[in-house]
Amino acid sequence: MPPIQKSASGEARRIGVELEMNGLTLDRLSAEVARHFGLTVSTGGGRYERVLTGDPAGEWQVEFDFDLLKKLGREQRDAGTLAGELGDSAEEALKWLAESLVPMELISPPLPMDRLGEVESLIKRLRDCGCKGTSDSLLNAFGMQFNPEVPDSDSTTITRYLKAFVCLYEWLYARADINLSRQVTNYIDPYPTDYCRRLVEVAYWPDQAALIDDYLRDNPTRNRALDMLPLFAFLDEPRVRAVVGDALVKARPTFHYRLPDCEIDRPEWNLSTAWNDWVEVERLAEDPDRLAGCCQAYSDFLDDPVDRWFGDWVKHLEAKWLHP
């Protein structure tokens, strides 16, 4: 568990989990999740989305990760008309394509962090049922995403976590052993080096407006290993929307960690490895002296061309700055 387990309101911090996979139909996947937690399945907003109710934490969702198909699936067409038939044909073609290339996405509600073990047992159930993950196919660029609630919304706290993340990014990436199918996409790009340099400066402690503006200047996209747009939209939505028009950015008080693969079909795979690695980010962020020293060391590394080309930041990090 992370060092800070309660939010600023005094409630237990929560976390959302998103898993991308295929191998089961939409209805079979929904039914297995519902049986596991004792939930009720409804069709939700359309033909390619299911909503599972009955969990005290909120609704679970199962859907095709394909926005155009979901939009078509919400439409009601007039049977027997040319427009209706053309719409049905387009939808069927997209459905056929989606079943081959697009993952199903399972989205949990914000769960108390001590319920992650329940998600772990669900993963085993879905594996036994035949769910497939990233390495099952060269086309399966499937990920697992964590949405841990921020401890508080103070700009100093958020900056600490960003500093810790950029210091640990190379270590996290090496530990995650990202599949080639996701390496060649831009879904989980790192922050630009100049932005990392700015973050690890000793004197960089901006107020909220400057923190968001600096982030948007270098990262006006969801496609980052740690996507901060949902949190910044929660804190100041007009500021974010003025730069990023992506409707998929949903405002919420969480970090959006997108780096890990979803290898749900591999018996040795689980969420605990990726989660424990994320906890190292939180541990570093909550240790001011260690964070300051690590930031200075990483700043020196980035500024030394010999170190950047021939050094090994991950080894240095593991030897001196991790696991105090």
Side-chain angles (χ1 to χ4, degrees), residues 153-168:
S153 57
D154 184 79
S155 60
T156 300
T157 301
I158 297 168
T159 303
R160 287 203 320 268
Y161 278 68
L162 275 167
K163 285 174 178 279
F165 177 78
V166 298
C167 286
L168 297 190

Side-chain angles (χ1 to χ4, degrees), residues 26 48 62-66 69-70 98-99 102-105:
L26 179 67
Y48 306 104
V62 181
E63 59 188 36
F64 274 100
D65 191 16
F66 191 170
L69 185 62
K70 288 188 290 186
E99 287 174 342
V102 177
M104 299 286 182
E105 187 168 24

Side-chain angles (χ1 to χ4, degrees), residues 96-317:
W96 176 83
L97 178 67
E99 287 174 342
S100 303
L101 300 175
V102 177
M104 299 286 182
E105 187 168 24
L106 170 63
I107 305 166
S108 83
L111 301 168
M113 288 183 176
D114 60 8
R115 288 188 61 187
L116 282 174
E118 297 176 29
V119 182
E120 195 81 270
S121 63
L122 173 64
I123 286 171
K124 183 180 185 304
R125 180 188 189 118
L126 297 180
R127 177 186 300 129
D128 293 342
C129 291
C131 282
K132 303 297 183 182
T134 314
S135 59
D136 183 66
S137 167
L138 289 174
L139 301 176
N140 287 4
F142 299 168
M144 174 174 65
Q145 301 171 25
F146 292 133
N147 297 289
E149 183 180 9
V150 293
D152 63 70
S153 57
D154 184 79
S155 60
T156 300
T157 301
I158 297 168
T159 303
R160 287 203 320 268
Y161 278 68
L162 275 167
K163 285 174 178 279
F165 177 78
V166 298
C167 286
L168 297 190
Y169 172 78
E170 292 183 38
W171 177 80
L172 292 165
Y173 190 90
R175 294 265 299 172
D177 191 22
I178 303 299
N179 189 277
L180 179 62
S181 63
R182 296 185 76 225
Q183 290 184 34
V184 298
T185 70
N186 65 350
Y187 300 148
I188 53 171
D189 282 349
Y191 296 142
T193 300
D194 285 347
Y195 180 66
C196 294
R197 282 196 175 97
R198 183 181 301 116
L199 272 176
V200 296
E201 288 175 1
V202 173
Y204 185 73
W205 296 101
D207 62 19
Q208 178 179 290
L211 178 64
I212 296 174
D213 286 343
D214 287 346
Y215 183 87
L216 292 173
R217 187 178 303 111
D218 289 312
N219 306 282
T221 173
R222 298 168 57 239
N223 297 330
R224 293 290 186 262
L226 180 60
D227 171 20
M228 297 294 290
L229 294 180
L231 174 58
F232 289 154
F234 176 81
L235 296 174
D236 190 342
E237 188 151 12
R239 188 177 294 273
V240 172
R241 298 297 179 192
V243 177
V244 180
D246 192 335
L248 294 177
V249 174
K250 302 292 195 300
R252 54 195 175 193
T254 69
F255 301 108
H256 186 38
Y257 181 49
R258 299 163 51 95
L259 182 63
D261 290 344
C262 179
E263 298 282 12
I264 195 167
D265 53 317
R266 293 171 56 179
E268 71 279 10
W269 184 84
N270 52 52
L271 66 77
S272 62
T273 299
W275 170 245
N276 290 341
D277 288 350
W278 170 260
V279 169
E280 289 297 328
V281 175
E282 300 217 359
R283 292 177 68 195
L284 181 58
E286 294 295 340
D287 188 337
D289 291 340
R290 185 160 62 99
L291 177 62
C294 189
C295 284
Q296 184 61 64
Y298 191 49
S299 179
D300 293 343
F301 175 83
L302 291 175
D303 289 339
D304 187 329
V306 175
D307 250 2
R308 287 192 62 196
W309 280 101
F310 301 107
D312 191 329
W313 171 248
V314 173
K315 285 186 177 179
H316 179 72
L317 190 69

Side-chain angles (χ1 to χ4, degrees), residues 71-82:
K71 182 179 179 181
L72 291 173
R74 296 174 193 139
E75 294 178 356
Q76 299 300 320
R77 304 187 187 93
D78 293 330
T81 67
L82 177 60

